[in-house]
Structure formats: structure tokens, C-alpha cells
Amino acid sequence: MCSLKRSCICDIFYLFFPPFLTQYTVFSIYFMHICHCLLSTHIVFNKLIFTNFQGAILLIGYCYSSSGGASSDIKDVNKLEGGASCSMEVLHTLPILKKAYGDSMHKVLHVGPDSCSVVSSLLEEEDTEAWGIEPYELDDVGAKCKSLVRKGIVRVADIKFPLPYRAKSFSLVIVSDALDYLSPRYLNKTLPELVRVSADGVVIFAGYPGQQRTRGEEVAKFGRPAKLRSSSWWIRFFVQTRLDENETAGKKFEQASAKKAYKPACQVFHLKSHP
């Protein structure tokens, strides 16, 4: 039997202000103890108990999800805090890309951060094969991503060097975020490589100038802050490197986007493959 004047009041205090919210096991013990205490002393605080119960459930659920609960393997998308992730945008536009490219979506290579998430989504589609290249080291990824890397479906590779694939190995190549972190010196090599390994085209997702990115996180992960270029810069670069835009696919993409009232948060460019 607990003392209402001392023990229960202290327990109520700890319930509202637990020392460490992440220690949800200890927190649950506090919660169970106070319920036993209040019920055993026949004190009617129905509203207080109900409110505390709701708060406890929310806090325990929050701590569970933060500690890597069951849903942590579903998606490994690492959206930069305070900024847009073009890899996230690829996931949103997959249905639109299918409308624009049709059968060309049957064998896809994704290049960019969070490739595991994009590849996983593509593999869920019927009659679709997918591979990925992660240009940067993988940190804190789930079991699903580790499995894709172990099977060789997703590779960690520096895209500043020739890609480990034969010409026209993939029907379509989708690249997101990665080109924003390359200088023109490396873009001159990397972009033609992406075109070389594609049979039906390359889709580029690039950030808009002025989009907010967290510099500290960028430098830590990518080695340098993003260089977000205008559409006119990209078009000029395509001309200089003799890369042709795929106007037919671009129009189909725009039409499919308009039907869904969807406006991409990133710039989207469509390039032709080499003949």
C-alpha cells in the first residue's frame, strides 16, 4: 500500500517528467505503478488517469519508433532536414514515369542517395527489374537495404569513374540528387556514362536554385554542399556535351503530371540514349 501524500505525488511528477523518455521500459514501470497506486487508494481522478494514459501511449510509441521499431525497414529514404530530397521525389513520380516511358520501365538503374528505397519500390512493380548505385557510403540503413547490397542489386560506387556496366545494360537510367554534388569537371565524364549504359534514355532529377539544404549534413555525407543549377544552365550543358533532350518523353511526362495535378519539387530533365 502506497502513501498518497508522498509516493503517489512523486509518481505523478515522474509520469509528467520522466528522466529519460527513450527509456520507455522504465517509463512503463512508472506508469503501471501509479495506476496501481491510484486504484488501490480508491481516488477518483478519472480525467487525470485518462489524460496520463493517452500521454503514456503516445510517448511509448514515439520512443519505440525512434529506437528502430518494426517499420524502420520499410523505407530508408534519408530526406535532408530542412530541404528537398530528389530521391524522395522519384518515389512520388514513379507512376508518372511509367506513363511517359511505358515498356522502358522494365529494366531500370537508379543512381543517387537512398537508392535502396527507389529500387525497393521498383521491384514491387510487376515485370520490373531494378538495380541501384549509391554514390556515397551507406550509414544506418535497415536490413532490407543491407540485403540489396549483399545480393549485388545495389552497389556503392564512385560515379566520378566509369560505371561497371556494358553499354545499353538498362532500358532506363534515373539519377537523383547525385549530379548536384559534382563539379562540371566530373559532370563531363559522369553524365555521358549514364547515357552510355541506357538504351531508352536518362531521367535527371536535380534541385532548384534557392532550395534550402542543411550545409553541415550535406558536407558530412556528400563531401561538399550541393551546387543547385538553373534549367538554362543544364540545357546549355547538354548542348556543350552533345547530349540530346528527349522531347517526346518530356511532353508525355508533363501531360501525365498535369492529369494528376502534380508539380515535381525538383527539376526533371529527359535525355536520349546514344544511337
Side-chain angles (χ1 to χ4, degrees):
M1 199 73 175
C2 63
S3 170
L4 175 63
K5 292 184 179 180
R6 188 168 183 176
S7 179
C8 289
I9 293 174
C10 290
D11 286 339
I12 291 172
F13 176 81
Y14 280 116
L15 181 60
F16 279 105
F17 304 100
F20 300 101
L21 290 179
T22 55
Q23 303 298 321
Y24 53 87
T25 302
V26 176
F27 179 56
S28 300
I29 294 172
Y30 275 123
F31 176 67
M32 294 301 293
H33 182 61
I34 188 172
C35 285
H36 172 75
C37 179
L38 291 173
L39 290 174
S40 63
T41 52
H42 306 286
I43 299 175
V44 184
F45 290 132
N46 293 331
K47 186 175 180 180
L48 177 61
I49 294 174
F50 181 71
T51 304
N52 286 344
F53 180 78
Q54 285 184 312
I57 294 300
L58 289 173
L59 287 171
I60 292 170
Y62 170 80
C63 295
Y64 176 73
S65 62
S66 299
S67 64
S71 63
S72 62
D73 262 355
I74 295 176
K75 287 186 178 180
D76 294 316
V77 173
N78 181 20
K79 186 173 182 181
L80 289 174
E81 184 179 352
S85 165
C86 289
S87 292
M88 175 71 81
E89 201 65 24
V90 172
L91 294 174
H92 293 323
T93 57
L94 286 180
I96 298 173
L97 286 170
K98 287 180 182 178
K99 291 285 186 183
Y101 285 91
D103 293 339
S104 295
M105 290 286 290
H106 74 276
K107 194 173 184 180
V108 181
L109 172 69
H110 175 261
V111 179
D114 307 309
S115 195
C116 286
S117 297
V118 178
V119 170
S120 295
S121 294
L122 286 167
L123 290 175
E124 292 175 359
E125 302 296 329
E126 188 177 357
D127 300 325
T128 300
E129 299 177 44
W131 286 265
I133 292 182
E134 169 63 58
Y136 309 98
E137 291 298 323
L138 293 169
D139 299 319
D140 300 325
V141 296
K144 197 170 188 178
C145 185
K146 291 177 181 177
S147 176
L148 291 172
V149 173
R150 187 168 56 250
K151 293 174 182 177
I153 296 174
V154 174
R155 298 186 181 193
V156 178
D158 192 338
I159 59 174
K160 295 192 292 290
F161 299 96
L163 300 176
Y165 302 110
R166 296 179 180 179
K168 301 185 183 298
S169 293
F170 306 95
S171 56
L172 189 69
V173 174
I174 302 172
V175 56
S176 57
D177 286 321
L179 300 183
D180 290 336
Y181 296 93
L182 295 180
S183 65
R185 171 190 173 189
Y186 290 114
L187 275 175
N188 285 327
K189 300 176 181 179
T190 299
L191 200 46
E193 268 293 286
L194 298 174
V195 173
R196 180 185 68 82
V197 301
S198 70
D200 298 328
V202 175
V203 185
I204 299 170
F205 286 76
Y208 281 107
Q211 278 183 332
Q212 184 181 358
R213 298 284 178 95
T214 307
R215 289 181 64 91
E217 293 184 15
E218 284 185 302
V219 173
K221 184 172 178 65
F222 308 121
R224 57 176 294 168
K227 179 70 173 179
L228 303 179
R229 304 165 173 107
S230 65
S231 60
S232 59
W233 187 97
W234 280 109
I235 293 169
R236 201 162 52 244
F237 179 79
F238 299 150
V239 172
Q240 292 171 354
T241 51
R242 298 181 181 180
L243 298 173
D244 298 324
E245 288 193 79
N246 190 335
E247 295 181 2
T248 302
K251 287 179 180 179
K252 288 182 178 180
F253 183 86
E254 289 177 2
Q255 291 170 356
S257 298
K259 285 182 180 180
K260 292 182 176 292
Y262 178 73
K263 185 177 180 181
C266 297
Q267 299 182 88
V268 184
F269 302 98
H270 306 264
L271 299 181
K272 292 181 179 179
S273 299
H274 291 312

